[in-house]
Amino acid sequence: MLWPSRPKLRLLLAFLSFLLLLLSPSTLAVTHSPPVSYTNTLIPQRADPHISKHTDGYYYFTATVPAYDSIIIRRSPTIQGLSSASETTIWRRKSSGIGSNQVWAPELHYIDGKWYIYVALGVANEWRIRAFVLEGVGANPQTATWTEKGLVNTDWDTFSLDAHQFQVNGTRYLVWAQQEPTRTDENSSLLLAKLLNPWTIQRPATVISRPLLSWERVGYKVNEGPATLQKNGKILLTYSASATDSNYCMGLLTASVGAHLLNPASWSKSPAPVFQSNSFTQQYGPGHNSFTVSEDNLSDILVFHDRGYPNITGDPLNDPNRRTRVQKVYWRADGTPDLGIPVPDGVTPVRLRSFSSSPEVYIRYYTGTSPSGSAATLADQLFRIVTPGLAGGNTVSLESASRLGLYLRRSGTQVRFDAGSSSSSASFKSEASWMRKEGLADAAKGVSFEAAGVSDGQYLRLTGSEGGLVVAAVGGDSTQKGQATFYLE
């Protein structure tokens, strides 16, 4: 933290924060974690969602409501439980002055024993939106006593919103979106400053990102909605760009935890969006995200909003149907995040890693009866385990999450991905259904899939380094058992 005045105390806090960062499960360079199971949409008509897991074991949720007139909080011991948790309104729009118009994008943070909400507030009959801070005292933010700490005073009196605080090596920072007075043709850039206390920045601030790339300038020229995740020695700062319709998408800034963060050169920007609309999964305009952690603390979870349709009549801000969604963050071997695609409605998908392959190989979608040799994307590797399977009973089916309606189907000893449904023929349903078994090579942690309706023990096996699949018997051979065993992630 920046605000302790004694140098020794600041050094001690910095050391302790760095030690906690090293020990925290969410910062370790681990690429594998168990699957998560959530059902999307998590919460309808809640935009700019922010979910945090507190030390009391509860998840706290806040977001923008369609009327733009209040700040709400939900509380649940599980992420899925937030979908039906009761809402408490802790602040309402005023009759005049600051806070008498827009109430946008609240974020809830716990800092030094108190709760803080960063929120963008407008003024009635004016286009005047600024970042504002509330302070809450109490164990539960739903029942805390809230007071207004006021505006975040920045270098300029211009449009500003989406304040987000984070801590690195004992120093707290605030990052937010604001229009630069010398760049009035653009809507907002991202600025960064140290915090003197939770509502006061150390000025001047530093511009760390501007909407200069083509995908950041569709409809509006925007960088906004920053959120941070620290892992593998890096600060990963996601942000949203372009208009709040189907063009809305997410970019990524990256810096080392040991870098001078107020130097713009410390940050590198992704040249392309890292998360965007997907017509196959029917998810449009994903963005304004936050990050939280799974119930077992082993997986990072992406929290965001989107819509289920691409076309909007009129101003997108007047469309109430941005909704809160969650899905797992996957990690590449080099320690960088892979957000993949916004997954389809329903239960979150998994990927299936081969027990026996090194380097790692996953079951992947492909056309025909074998992979073409092209590199598989995360989207290709995501599958929904449909229960019961198309054949019913105790079976399961594996449906591509990136190409809905295409199922993994045996064709003799080969495997294809073919379109199927509840109205498919009985033979198709049988060929696209499997019996889920304990892993033949690892009964404790792995899974195997035995072909349904086949009497001689035929199993799904992954062979080779490209993800090719076959259906074949498995004897006592350890290699064959390994090919027929998978880990769910």
Side-chain angles (χ1 to χ4, degrees):
M1 289 169 290
L2 184 64
W3 42 90
S5 58
R6 289 174 290 179
K8 290 184 178 180
L9 179 58
R10 287 200 298 270
L11 289 173
L12 176 60
L13 289 171
F15 172 75
L16 291 174
S17 297
F18 180 69
L19 183 62
L20 288 171
L21 183 65
L22 291 176
L23 296 177
S24 170
S26 66
T27 63
L28 301 179
V30 176
T31 58
H32 307 305
S33 63
V36 300
S37 182
Y38 306 116
T39 299
N40 283 308
T41 292
L42 186 69
I43 305 174
Q45 295 196 340
R46 291 293 179 267
D48 313 320
H50 187 266
I51 296 176
S52 57
K53 188 178 185 181
H54 188 46
T55 54
D56 61 4
Y58 281 90
Y59 290 92
Y60 291 93
F61 167 85
T62 187
T64 302
V65 301
Y68 304 136
D69 64 351
S70 58
I71 300 174
I72 56 89
I73 296 175
R74 298 189 187 197
R75 179 179 189 251
S76 171
T78 65
I79 292 174
Q80 192 64 51
L82 291 169
S83 64
S84 57
S86 61
E87 273 186 359
T88 299
T89 299
I90 62 97
W91 193 92
R92 293 187 182 277
R93 177 190 289 160
K94 297 181 177 182
S95 59
S96 62
I98 298 170
S100 59
N101 201 346
Q102 297 92 342
V103 182
W104 285 355
E107 283 198 9
L108 176 68
H109 295 268
Y110 191 74
I111 304 172
D112 295 344
K114 296 180 180 179
W115 299 97
Y116 291 91
I117 287 179
Y118 296 89
V119 62
L121 298 180
V123 177
N125 303 314
E126 296 184 48
W127 180 250
R128 184 177 179 81
I129 297 171
R130 303 291 185 269
F132 196 87
V133 183
L134 304 174
E135 181 184 76
V137 177
N140 180 348
Q142 291 182 308
T143 57
T145 299
W146 289 93
T147 58
E148 298 177 358
K149 304 306 290 186
L151 293 173
V152 177
N153 291 312
T154 66
D155 298 317
W156 315 304
D157 185 21
T158 59
F159 173 73
S160 63
L161 71 168
D162 297 349
H164 167 80
Q165 76 85 33
F166 63 100
Q167 185 176 4
V168 180
N169 296 333
T171 297
R172 291 196 186 275
Y173 295 86
L174 193 73
V175 59
W176 69 97
Q178 186 164 12
Q179 186 176 53
E180 298 181 63
T182 59
R183 304 176 71 91
T184 55
D185 64 319
E186 296 171 351
N187 300 92
S188 60
S189 303
L190 293 181
L191 286 90
L192 180 69
K194 292 181 179 180
L195 278 170
L196 298 173
N197 59 43
W199 59 91
T200 308
I201 65 168
Q202 184 180 78
R203 295 157 61 182
T206 299
V207 177
I208 60 170
S209 182
R210 294 184 172 108
L212 303 179
L213 302 177
S214 60
W215 52 270
E216 301 174 303
R217 301 166 68 89
V218 182
Y220 290 96
K221 301 168 184 177
V222 167
N223 281 182
E224 66 179 20
T228 54
L229 184 62
Q230 296 182 49
K231 195 156 186 168
N232 304 330
K234 298 180 177 67
I235 303 164
L236 306 158
L237 192 156
T238 53
Y239 65 94
S240 297
S242 291
T244 57
D245 53 19
S246 62
N247 296 296
Y248 208 49
C249 59
M250 286 167 47
L252 177 67
L253 300 175
T254 306
S256 168
V257 295
H260 176 34
L261 300 184
L262 296 180
N263 180 356
S266 297
W267 297 91
S268 60
K269 179 185 283 195
S270 59
V274 295
F275 203 58
Q276 59 187 324
S277 294
N278 189 287
S279 60
F280 288 111
T281 62
Q282 300 176 31
Q283 308 299 318
Y284 300 94
H288 203 120
N289 74 290
S290 60
F291 294 102
T292 190
V293 67
S294 60
E295 288 79 357
D296 60 8
N297 295 319
L298 296 177
S299 295
D300 296 294
I301 304 299
L302 175 68
V303 184
F304 63 99
H305 75 236
D306 73 6
R307 292 185 178 91
Y309 46 86
N311 300 319
I312 299 169
T313 301
D315 188 338
L317 291 177
N318 294 329
D319 181 293
N321 292 319
R322 292 179 293 175
R323 68 268 178 94
T324 297
R325 301 175 68 83
V326 292
Q327 62 187 68
K328 182 176 176 176
V329 177
Y330 289 90
W331 294 91
R332 301 183 181 93
D334 64 0
T336 58
D338 191 343
L339 302 185
I341 58 174
V343 299
D345 292 348
V347 176
T348 46
V350 301
R351 62 178 182 174
L352 300 97
R353 175 168 51 92
S354 173
F355 169 89
S356 59
S357 297
S358 181
E360 298 160 353
V361 179
Y362 293 84
I363 291 181
R364 57 168 294 186
Y365 165 82
Y366 51 80
T367 57
T369 57
S370 64
S372 63
S374 60
T377 64
L378 174 58
D380 294 330
Q381 298 167 350
L382 292 177
F383 291 88
R384 296 204 290 199
I385 300 180
V386 180
T387 306
L390 294 182
N394 295 324
T395 67
V396 299
S397 293
L398 299 177
E399 180 187 16
S400 170
S402 62
R403 293 163 179 82
L404 296 179
L406 293 186
Y407 291 86
L408 190 151
R409 176 192 182 190
R410 59 184 171 84
S411 176
T413 61
Q414 296 179 320
V415 173
R416 307 171 53 90
F417 291 91
D418 290 327
S421 69
S422 59
S423 60
S424 297
S425 66
S427 61
F428 182 99
K429 291 178 181 179
S430 176
E431 292 163 356
S433 296
W434 309 84
M435 303 299 296
R436 179 171 170 170
K437 304 280 189 175
E438 292 180 343
L440 297 181
D442 185 347
K445 297 180 181 179
V447 297
S448 295
F449 296 95
E450 183 181 11
V454 177
S455 60
D456 55 349
Q458 302 284 308
Y459 282 85
L460 182 67
R461 289 167 48 183
L462 190 150
T463 61
S465 60
E466 295 182 350
L469 295 166
V470 297
V471 178
V474 174
D477 182 87
S478 60
T479 298
Q480 294 180 359
K481 288 182 178 180
Q483 291 174 344
T485 300
F486 304 92
Y487 293 115
L488 303 184
E489 298 179 355

